[in-house]
Amino acid sequence: MARKPPEPVQVVKQRRDAALKALVEGVPYIGFLGIGFDRRGDELTAIMPFREMLIGNPMLPALHGGATAAFLEVTAIIELAWTSMWEDIETGRIDSAAIDARHLPRLPKTIDFTVDYLRSGLPRDAYARARVNRSGRRYASVHVEAWQDNRSRLYAQATGHFLMPTRPDASG
Amino acid sequence: MDPEHKTRIARQFIEALPHCQALGMRLETVGPGHAELHMPYDPRLVGDPDTGVIHGGAVSALMDTCSGAAVIAHPSNPGATATIDLRIDYMRPATPGQTIVARAECYHVTRTVAFVRATAMDDDRDNPVAAATGAFTVER
């Protein structure tokens, strides 16, 4: 039997980008902080462009620790939701044409979150990537790293535990 | 300095910080090693569009600010402080529409480090929304 021809690249990209956009734009607080996501395949990088409203110490000046904590937590939640959606996006179980915030799976809920502040946040753009270390049916453990100018010089990192949403198809 | 005057100065300081201003934080009280901050409900801070619950990150920012204020207010008079680490446990979602109240206590200070505990509540003061513990730098 002949193999199904691969989908055109722009169809694949359009589907993935639409799903990511719906996921991110559904959360008001992500827009409030001005956080965006860059996607390469399934890899996400969160970007928090510098804005005056992120400042917590005007003397240094430095980013507010709370803004950094929020940036890390947003990155962790989106990565976790994205990872768990991936199969559904690829197999077409999530219809990218009809996708909007209403039709997305529910977001994971934070159980606890520990932020480690390594350097003071400079008044410039920040980047973050999260790694799902364990994702079970109910609980997940995620590690996040954030940096500014150099990928190898982290300015903050965090570990969090999350409660996974109950899937509508999984009864009981 | 009388306590009311001290609270007023602390309030002006905290409320002038751009990120605290953006989140609508208000310093309610400050005393030796403790502080109370309020953050009114704001739809822009929502983290879960299905429920209208405030994002954990905004609660983190409130607890972090409140903890820092408690450090500065400690009788040993630290000049400035920065967060070394902060752990937050989210016990339940905050009820949409209600102000979030954070209380922090700086329970121990060494020459270089301050230790803080904090809780966040909504109108139901008996069931905290979140609890935090943190370590802060002490700059003298």
Side-chain angles (χ1 to χ4, degrees), chain B residues 1-9 30-32:
Chain B
M1 207 192 302
D2 71 288
E4 246 176 72
H5 185 59
K6 203 169 176 182
T7 301
R8 209 162 47 238
I9 291 178
V30 64

Coordinates of all heavy atoms in Angstrom, one line a residue, chain B residues 1-9 30-32:
Chain B
M1 N 10.1 57.4 64.9 CA 9.1 57.7 63.9 C 7.8 57.0 64.3 O 7.8 55.8 64.7 CB 9.5 57.2 62.6 CG 8.9 58.0 61.4 SD 9.2 57.2 59.8 CE 11.0 57.0 59.7
D2 N 6.6 57.7 64.3 CA 5.4 57.1 64.7 C 4.9 56.1 63.7 O 5.2 56.3 62.5 CB 4.3 58.1 65.1 CG 3.8 58.8 63.8 OD1 4.5 59.7 63.3 OD2 2.7 58.5 63.4
P3 N 4.2 55.0 64.1 CA 3.9 54.0 63.1 C 3.1 54.4 61.9 O 3.3 53.9 60.8 CB 3.0 53.0 64.0 CG 3.2 53.4 65.4 CD 3.8 54.8 65.4
E4 N 2.2 55.4 62.1 CA 1.4 55.9 61.0 C 2.2 56.6 60.0 O 2.0 56.4 58.8 CB 0.3 56.9 61.5 CG -1.1 56.4 61.4 CD -2.1 57.3 62.0 OE1 -2.3 58.4 61.4 OE2 -2.6 57.0 63.1
H5 N 3.2 57.3 60.4 CA 4.1 58.0 59.5 C 4.9 57.0 58.7 O 5.1 57.1 57.5 CB 5.0 59.0 60.3 CG 5.9 59.8 59.5 ND1 5.4 60.7 58.5 CD2 7.2 59.9 59.4 CE1 6.4 61.3 57.9 NE2 7.5 60.8 58.4
K6 N 5.4 56.0 59.5 CA 6.2 54.9 58.8 C 5.4 54.2 57.8 O 5.9 53.9 56.7 CB 6.7 53.9 59.9 CG 7.9 53.2 59.5 CD 8.6 52.4 60.6 CE 9.7 51.6 60.1 NZ 10.4 50.8 61.1
T7 N 4.1 53.9 58.1 CA 3.3 53.2 57.1 C 3.1 54.1 55.9 O 3.1 53.5 54.7 CB 1.9 52.9 57.8 OG1 2.1 52.1 58.9 CG2 0.9 52.2 56.8
R8 N 2.9 55.4 56.1 CA 2.7 56.3 55.0 C 3.9 56.3 54.0 O 3.8 56.2 52.8 CB 2.4 57.7 55.5 CG 1.5 58.5 54.5 CD 0.8 59.7 55.2 NE 1.7 60.5 56.0 CZ 1.6 60.7 57.3 NH1 0.5 60.2 58.0 NH2 2.4 61.4 58.0
I9 N 5.1 56.4 54.6 CA 6.3 56.4 53.8 C 6.5 55.0 53.0 O 6.7 55.0 51.8 CB 7.6 56.6 54.7 CG1 7.5 58.1 55.2 CG2 8.8 56.3 53.9 CD1 8.7 58.4 56.1
V30 N 2.0 48.2 57.8 CA 3.4 47.7 58.0 C 3.8 48.0 59.4 O 3.4 49.0 60.0 CB 4.3 48.4 56.9 CG1 4.4 49.9 57.2 CG2 5.7 47.8 56.9
G31 N 4.5 47.0 60.0 CA 4.9 47.1 61.4 C 6.2 46.4 61.5 O 6.8 45.9 60.5
P32 N 6.8 46.3 62.7 CA 8.1 45.6 62.9 C 8.1 44.2 62.3 O 7.5 43.3 62.9 CB 8.3 45.7 64.4 CG 7.1 46.3 65.0 CD 6.2 46.8 64.0

